[in-house]
Amino acid sequence: MNKVLIIDDDEELAGLFSEYLQQEGFAVDIAMTGHAGLQQALSGKHQLVILDIMLPDIKGTEILARIRLESRVPVLMFTAKGDDVDRIIGLESGADDYVPKPCTPRELVARIRAILRRTQSAATSRQQGPILAGPLQIWSEKRKATWFEQTLELTSTEFNLLETLAHYAGQVVSKQTLSEKALGRPLARFDRSIDVHMSSIRQKLGSQADGRSYIQTVRGQGYQLIKD
């Protein structure tokens, strides 16, 4: 049974989501403060963390940053509805995806399952050797990636995106394909999640000798991983 941690000071909402998630077969823990949530998130007992960006004692982005120093556990953030700044900050801080408040329990479960489906299916992959794309090596079954023989520290979603690009190295991959394969959902209109994640991946890969990025944006089409 997958165990989910909800970090949210809204007792009524957290209780509603907890009840629904349990009906859908999840085990659920709730933390009402950021400090308590951070401690539980780092316990290694949960397959996914739901984190509210607005908490009374610590900002959600600060909690996420602390989690990312020690853990790759997938994090789904609650953000204010229509607030693009919150969404972008959350993604840049290492969130795997976001759900705007208010949202329906059904939408929340769909997002959770999409994230877990990607992380767990890769973890049980029978692939024996790594995916090779120039200096990039990816072991899907180990959720491990190296770049010029150095381990890359990637979030779950960043790993999924880079893995997808590596499969099609040298080819342009559309945002729709990246969203479906890496995020586990269709691309939503005006959704900038992939762009923000790609910006983070680019920073981690660095630049080529001529200053160009190893991941090229092809306007109106998608992204391309330069494999040579």
Side-chain angles (χ1 to χ4, degrees):
M1 179 181 292
N2 287 309
K3 195 169 189 178
V4 174
L5 171 64
I6 300 176
I7 307 175
D8 196 327
D9 65 323
D10 188 330
E11 186 175 355
E12 183 177 352
L13 185 64
L16 170 66
F17 286 140
S18 175
E19 182 178 347
Y20 191 87
L21 286 169
Q22 289 178 63
Q23 291 175 357
E24 292 295 315
F26 294 91
V28 182
D29 287 330
I30 298 175
M32 306 301 295
T33 68
H35 285 100
L38 177 60
Q39 184 176 10
Q40 291 189 57
L42 295 176
S43 69
K45 298 178 180 179
H46 304 91
Q47 280 68 55
L48 184 138
V49 175
I50 301 170
L51 174 62
D52 190 6
I53 201 166
M54 296 296 294
L55 291 164
D57 53 341
I58 316 178
K59 290 183 179 180
T61 51
E62 184 178 343
I63 294 172
L64 179 56
R66 294 189 190 182
I67 291 173
R68 283 292 169 255
L69 289 174
E70 301 181 37
S71 172
R72 298 294 101 190
V73 62
V75 175
L76 178 67
M77 292 204 78
F78 278 142
T79 64
K81 188 173 181 63
D83 193 332
D84 289 338
V85 174
D86 276 354
R87 298 176 186 180
I88 292 172
I89 290 175
L91 294 171
E92 288 179 339
S93 300
D96 292 276
D97 205 351
Y98 66 86
V99 174
K101 277 187 171 182
C103 71
T104 65
R106 183 177 181 180
E107 179 183 3
L108 180 65
V109 169
R111 292 294 183 94
I112 291 172
R113 284 183 169 153
I115 294 173
L116 293 177
R117 185 164 53 246
R118 284 295 303 167
T119 56
Q120 294 175 353
S121 64
T124 57
S125 172
R126 295 183 178 180
Q127 178 180 324
Q128 298 300 311
I131 302 168
L132 303 176
L136 176 66
Q137 297 186 62
I138 291 181
W139 289 265
S140 298
E141 71 281 6
K142 298 179 182 178
R143 302 290 289 175
K144 177 183 177 180
T146 62
W147 180 247
F148 288 102
E149 300 184 354
Q150 298 297 311
T151 299
L152 282 171
E153 295 296 333
L154 302 168
T155 67
S156 175
T157 297
E158 288 171 357
F159 182 92
N160 295 342
L161 286 167
L162 191 56
E163 179 187 31
T164 302
L165 287 176
H167 273 297
Y168 301 96
Q171 304 176 47
V172 178
V173 185
S174 70
K175 287 187 180 180
Q176 180 65 47
T177 297
L178 288 167
S179 184
E180 290 175 351
K181 291 184 176 296
L183 275 63
R185 57 180 171 82
L187 181 68
R189 191 178 184 187
F190 305 124
D191 189 344
R192 295 186 57 195
S193 301
I194 291 176
D195 300 321
V196 177
H197 287 305
M198 284 297 180
S199 176
S200 176
I201 296 172
R202 280 171 165 155
Q203 291 181 21
K204 293 176 181 181
L205 297 184
S207 301
Q208 300 183 66
D210 59 6
R212 291 184 305 151
S213 171
Y214 285 96
I215 298 177
Q216 297 291 306
T217 300
V218 181
R219 186 175 296 275
Q221 296 185 49
Y223 291 95
Q224 178 184 20
L225 176 66
I226 306 301
K227 63 179 181 180
D228 297 324

